[in-house]
Amino acid sequence: MFLIIGYVIILAASVGTYAIHGSLAALWVPTEYIAILGLMIGGLVAGNSLKTIKSVAGAVPGVFKGSPYNKAMYVDLLAMLYEILAKVRKEGLMSIENDIENPDSSAIFGKYPSVTADHHAMEFLTDYLRMMVGGNLNAFEIENLMDMEIETHHQEAHTPVHAVTKMADGVPAFGIVVAVMGVVNVMGSVGQPPAVLGKMIGGALVGTFLGILLSYGFVGPLAGQMEQKMEEGGKIFQCIKVVLLASMNGYAPQVAIEFGRKVLFSTDRPGFKELEDEIKSRKK
């Protein structure tokens, strides 16, 4: 949403202010637009694998959606983890085996659709709960494995961000390429009247204008939003990690979820009393 608002402000500040003292028709040079877009797409295709291109196509639409990672979702996550750990503490690890193997039909997981909608986080949670039930790994070994998996997820999530950032860096140069092509065309028409040459030179400069505007006004902010979404999506794994490790180290469920609460961003972190009251209300 804010990306679209930003785009509107950028267009108003650039094209809008230009329209006050200039003709917008002078900026309409379709061949320049086609050339710039073609060079952008070509650079993306030439510089990345098919897997990366698909990841970019999948990540871009998510930028225009609201983030699911908010305080309400994290309250649900911590409440769900508390309920799981409380059941383990009361009935033993084997009591959650059916929940782990069939999360879609689990009575516990079914209460928290905002959390179960994140399939990557649910897979992460159930995989490590399964290891805990198996009892073959200690907390230190599981922590190392969690760190490696989170790092792998971070690298995968960063791939489309890196590709779009590189594209943003290259767009100004593409604008110069298009402008030089226009200047070459002008130089081949030096015998034309000054009015005609002036229009041709103006059209050539539109390429430079487009390259800089698209890079810093559109593609760059898009990459920035994608990176922020990536960081938000990674925090849920850290929260699950510290809660499970605290439980494995012998802490009570009430204390274990406090570990998870403390790693959340301050804007998404529920207060201690707020979380305690929420969990108590759900137990009724």
Side-chain angles (χ1 to χ4, degrees):
M1 181 63 183
F2 282 101
L3 183 64
I4 296 175
I5 294 173
Y7 283 169
V8 172
I9 295 172
I10 289 167
L11 286 173
S14 56
V15 179
T17 54
Y18 171 81
I20 296 173
H21 57 78
S23 172
L24 289 178
L27 297 177
W28 180 242
V29 187
T31 53
E32 304 279 324
Y33 289 81
I34 294 171
I36 286 283
L37 290 175
L39 288 167
M40 288 172 59
I41 295 171
L44 179 66
V45 171
N48 298 283
S49 65
L50 179 60
K51 181 179 178 181
T52 300
I53 295 170
K54 287 182 177 179
S55 70
V56 171
V60 169
V63 172
F64 298 94
K65 301 177 183 177
S67 174
Y69 303 103
N70 50 37
K71 182 185 288 189
M73 193 277 278
Y74 282 118
V75 168
D76 282 348
L77 173 65
L78 293 171
M80 184 181 77
L81 290 171
Y82 173 83
E83 191 169 346
I84 292 170
L85 297 180
K87 184 176 180 180
V88 168
R89 195 173 184 85
K90 183 178 180 180
E91 303 176 23
L93 277 168
M94 296 304 297
S95 64
I96 62 169
E97 185 175 16
N98 188 56
D99 296 296
I100 297 169
E101 299 302 331
N102 302 286
D104 293 336
S105 59
S106 168
I108 296 178
F109 293 145
K111 298 177 185 177
Y112 306 97
S114 64
V115 181
T116 55
D118 191 326
H119 301 296
H120 294 296
M122 284 300 298
E123 183 178 2
F124 182 85
L125 173 61
T126 53
D127 281 350
Y128 288 103
L129 285 174
R130 189 176 293 108
M131 290 184 187
M132 290 169 62
V133 170
N136 297 323
L137 296 174
N138 59 41
F140 180 75
E141 292 172 326
I142 288 185
E143 182 177 9
N144 284 337
L145 186 57
M146 283 179 169
D147 287 338
M148 287 188 287
E149 183 171 353
I150 290 173
E151 177 61 24
T152 299
H153 177 271
H154 181 83
Q155 290 175 351
E156 289 180 342
H158 196 269
T159 298
V161 177
H162 180 71
V164 175
T165 301
K166 294 294 288 183
M167 183 168 64
D169 292 341
V171 176
F174 291 149
I176 295 173
V177 169
V178 173
V180 170
M181 291 167 61
V183 171
V184 170
N185 187 40
V186 172
M187 297 303 292
S189 306
V190 291
Q192 298 292 328
V196 175
L197 290 176
K199 184 176 180 180
M200 294 176 69
I201 293 171
L205 292 176
V206 169
T208 304
F209 161 76
L210 281 175
I212 296 173
L213 180 63
L214 287 174
S215 175
Y216 297 105
F218 290 86
V219 185
L222 176 64
Q225 284 276 10
M226 290 172 65
E227 185 170 16
Q228 291 176 32
K229 294 282 185 180
M230 178 200 70
E231 295 296 338
E232 289 178 0
K235 183 57 66 174
I236 189 171
F237 296 98
Q238 296 177 349
C239 181
I240 293 171
K241 168 193 165 182
V242 297
V243 171
L244 294 186
L245 289 175
S247 176
M248 291 186 70
N249 284 316
Y251 290 99
Q254 296 92 330
V255 179
I257 63 168
E258 180 64 12
F259 278 64
R261 187 184 74 85
K262 297 299 287 184
V263 304
L264 299 176
F265 293 122
S266 60
T267 52
D268 301 325
R269 183 191 305 150
F272 174 81
K273 190 69 167 60
E274 179 184 1
L275 180 60
E276 185 179 43
D277 292 343
E278 183 66 27
I279 290 175
K280 285 180 179 179
S281 68
R282 298 187 185 200
K283 289 166 65 177
K284 295 177 181 179

